[in-house]
Amino acid sequence: MRAFLLAGLILVAAVAGTFAHASAEVRVFVTNEKSNDVTVIHAASGKVLKTIPVGKRPRGVVASPDGRRVYVANSDSNTVAVIDTASLTVIKTVAAGIDPEGMAISKDGKLLYIANESELAVTVLEVESGRAVAKL
């Protein structure tokens, strides 16, 4: 249980750190596997701002370099939900390969790298189109 909590704290810190550069208001995006949603928390006050339905068994989460989008890997839906950070709504859901778990985004924000656990592969998505451009 301790290892699980520590991993969650590292994930939250990475997302919160991204937003620290994008705006004065730091928000933390926390995936909730059992309820299939993401809870957005105001970092300074700890207040829940919104809970957003995203897909089945959300796991990995990563923010765009400019902080305008948050990407959530939905493992049991085989999708990635794209959240607009201004409106706190899902603006798009795209196919992401089988069992997407973790993600990384390119420095320029144009490519999203998705670790597909069950496939032992990485799906590379072009962010703007939402289209898979490679499978590694």
Side-chain angles (χ1 to χ4, degrees):
M1 181 66 165
R2 182 172 182 204
F4 175 75
L5 290 175
L6 181 57
L9 291 174
I10 291 169
L11 176 63
V12 168
V15 173
T18 300
F19 285 96
H21 301 293
S23 70
E25 181 181 79
V26 179
R27 296 175 177 180
V28 180
F29 291 74
V30 181
T31 60
N32 306 306
E33 281 188 37
K34 295 198 182 222
S35 55
N36 300 319
D37 50 33
V38 170
T39 300
V40 185
I41 301 167
H42 185 270
S45 69
K47 179 183 174 191
V48 172
L49 300 174
K50 190 170 184 180
T51 298
I52 308 163
V54 290
K56 294 180 183 173
R57 196 171 157 244
R59 302 278 296 190
V61 61
V62 67
S64 63
D66 64 6
R68 293 180 186 207
R69 303 282 185 262
V70 167
Y71 303 91
V72 180
N74 301 307
S75 293
D76 288 351
S77 298
N78 299 327
T79 62
V80 168
V82 183
I83 297 173
D84 176 81
T85 60
S87 65
L88 297 180
T89 59
V90 173
I91 58 170
K92 179 170 35 173
T93 301
V94 296
I98 297 171
D99 193 15
E101 296 278 336
M103 295 179 293
I105 194 161
S106 62
K107 191 173 184 175
D108 63 7
K110 292 182 179 182
L111 296 174
L112 186 64
Y113 299 88
I114 306 160
N116 300 108
E117 183 178 34
S118 295
E119 290 183 289
L120 301 176
V122 173
T123 299
V124 182
L125 285 184
E126 184 180 68
V127 170
E128 190 169 320
S129 70
R131 190 174 50 95
V133 294
K135 182 78 91 174
L136 311 174

